[in-house]
Amino acid sequence: MENKAKIDPKRFGILKAYQKGETIPDITAKFRHISRATIYRWIKEFKKGRVCRKTRKPTEEKKACYKTAMDLYGHRTDAPEIEQRTTI
């Protein structure tokens, strides 16, 4: 079974620059549209061996809960009542 997880192109560019030996300040200057904290987090995850984030599809229960909440919201139901009716 092959791994179908895809890496974000922005993250890939940052990690590639890090692997080439660029310093983190140089990388943050090069990728100004991404916060320094995010770059440090991505590099930290990379060092731990986690390059791609796995995304999970919502369960059927969560989908039903979301649909119920949206239906109640559409009927002008107030927030506390929506919370009460949609608690999983």
Side-chain angles (χ1 to χ4, degrees):
M1 185 171 159
E2 69 182 66
N3 183 1
K4 294 186 179 181
K6 294 185 179 179
I7 187 168
D8 177 21
K10 294 174 195 172
R11 185 185 290 212
F12 183 76
I14 289 168
L15 295 177
K16 194 168 185 169
Y18 180 74
Q19 281 184 313
K20 286 182 179 178
E22 290 185 42
T23 64
I24 295 176
D26 290 341
I27 295 170
T28 56
K30 190 177 188 181
F31 295 90
R32 291 184 184 173
H33 57 284
I34 300 173
S35 74
R36 185 180 318 152
T38 299
I39 291 173
Y40 273 100
R41 188 179 73 243
W42 287 353
I43 290 172
K44 182 179 175 184
E45 289 174 1
F46 173 72
K47 287 178 179 178
K48 289 182 179 180
R50 293 180 290 195
V51 178
C52 301
R53 285 196 179 259
K54 294 182 180 176
T55 57
R56 296 183 189 153
K57 292 184 179 179
T59 62
E60 291 301 318
E61 185 179 9
K62 285 188 179 183
K63 286 181 187 176
C65 178
Y66 179 72
K67 184 181 180 324
T68 303
M70 294 309 297
D71 289 343
L72 291 170
Y73 181 75
H75 294 295
R76 305 272 186 218
T77 307
D78 60 344
E81 188 175 345
I82 291 174
E83 282 183 23
Q84 182 183 10
R85 290 188 185 187
T86 58
T87 303
I88 295 177

